[in-house]
Amino acid sequence: HREAGPSHKRTNLRSLFQQRGLFSNVADGALDALEAKLRPAQFEQGDVICAEGDPGGWTFIVVAGEVEVLKTAKDGAMIQVNVLRPGNWGGMMSLLTDMPRMACLVARSDVELRVLNHEDLAELVETEPSLTMGLLACMSERLGEDAVRRGFVKSVPLGRWGTADEIADVACFLASPQAAYVTGQVVRVD
């Protein structure tokens, strides 16, 4: 495996910033300033990046790999509510509101992030006004996605997402001899 040169990494980050057009109106100089402030962070599969309730103070963009976003349900079950992939930003709410982390983030695979701390964000917002609009567009998109998820969860009788194990248990039962008498049924697992 050969390391990419600096120009390849710059192009890769730039394309991640502009993914889905959220940073399309941000000046090139502002994107350069953002890129200069981002610090690399790597995690191995299964690593906890941050736990629900941890102090915030930093946000990140996923460069490579996948990050599971897990919330603790009322009954204590850990429920996956999202998966962040390259180009997705995470941790923005706690960064801007100075609230504790609202979810647990776990590396679903080997993950490479670029991290931006609160102080650097404050400086960038002050010196690069066009960048503020790009970050607000990211937050707006994320809040819209979260609202759709919350609306769906309200329609689920238990008031939470089902876990993969719970869904697998139903599938295993239906494939087992114990389900021999179950025919022509729709089993809603939600």
Side-chain angles (χ1 to χ4, degrees):
H1 158 261
R2 201 180 66 152
E3 289 295 318
S7 62
H8 176 269
K9 287 189 178 199
R10 180 172 187 238
T11 302
N12 184 34
L13 279 176
R14 182 65 52 98
S15 68
L16 289 175
F17 293 155
Q18 295 175 330
Q19 189 173 325
R20 296 185 307 276
L22 299 175
F23 283 83
S24 59
N25 294 325
V26 175
D28 284 343
L31 291 176
D32 290 339
L34 171 60
E35 194 171 338
K37 296 284 186 187
L38 292 170
R39 301 292 171 245
Q42 296 183 336
F43 299 89
E44 293 180 3
Q45 181 177 1
D47 285 353
V48 174
I49 297 167
C50 65
E52 192 171 355
D54 280 357
W58 52 276
T59 188
F60 63 89
I61 185 171
V62 179
V63 176
E66 294 184 337
V67 175
E68 286 185 298
V69 181
L70 306 168
K71 293 275 298 168
T72 305
K74 291 177 186 173
D75 64 3
M78 290 299 287
I79 307 298
Q80 178 184 306
V81 295
N82 202 358
V83 176
L84 303 178
R85 294 179 172 86
N88 291 142
W89 286 82
M92 287 188 142
M93 293 305 292
S94 61
L95 177 69
L96 296 174
T97 63
D98 202 28
M99 292 173 52
R101 296 285 177 196
M102 299 169 68
C104 177
L105 303 177
V106 178
R108 188 177 196 180
S109 61
D110 289 349
V111 172
E112 182 181 350
L113 307 176
R114 291 294 185 276
V115 176
L116 179 67
N117 68 39
H118 179 75
E119 294 78 22
D120 288 338
L121 174 65
E123 181 183 324
L124 285 169
V125 166
E126 190 174 310
T127 61
E128 303 292 345
S130 69
L131 186 60
T132 304
M133 294 308 293
L135 291 169
L136 287 173
C138 287
M139 283 190 66
S140 176
E141 180 182 75
R142 186 66 178 275
L143 288 172
E145 292 170 356
D146 289 350
V148 168
R149 284 187 187 90
R150 280 191 307 276
F152 175 77
V153 167
K154 285 181 181 179
S155 71
V156 176
L158 289 178
R160 66 171 177 83
W161 296 95
T163 66
D165 286 342
E166 290 167 330
I167 293 168
D169 287 345
V170 172
C172 288
F173 167 73
L174 291 173
S176 74
Q178 288 81 14
Y181 194 71
V182 178
T183 60
Q185 300 297 313
V186 175
V187 179
R188 188 171 161 184
V189 182
D190 59 6

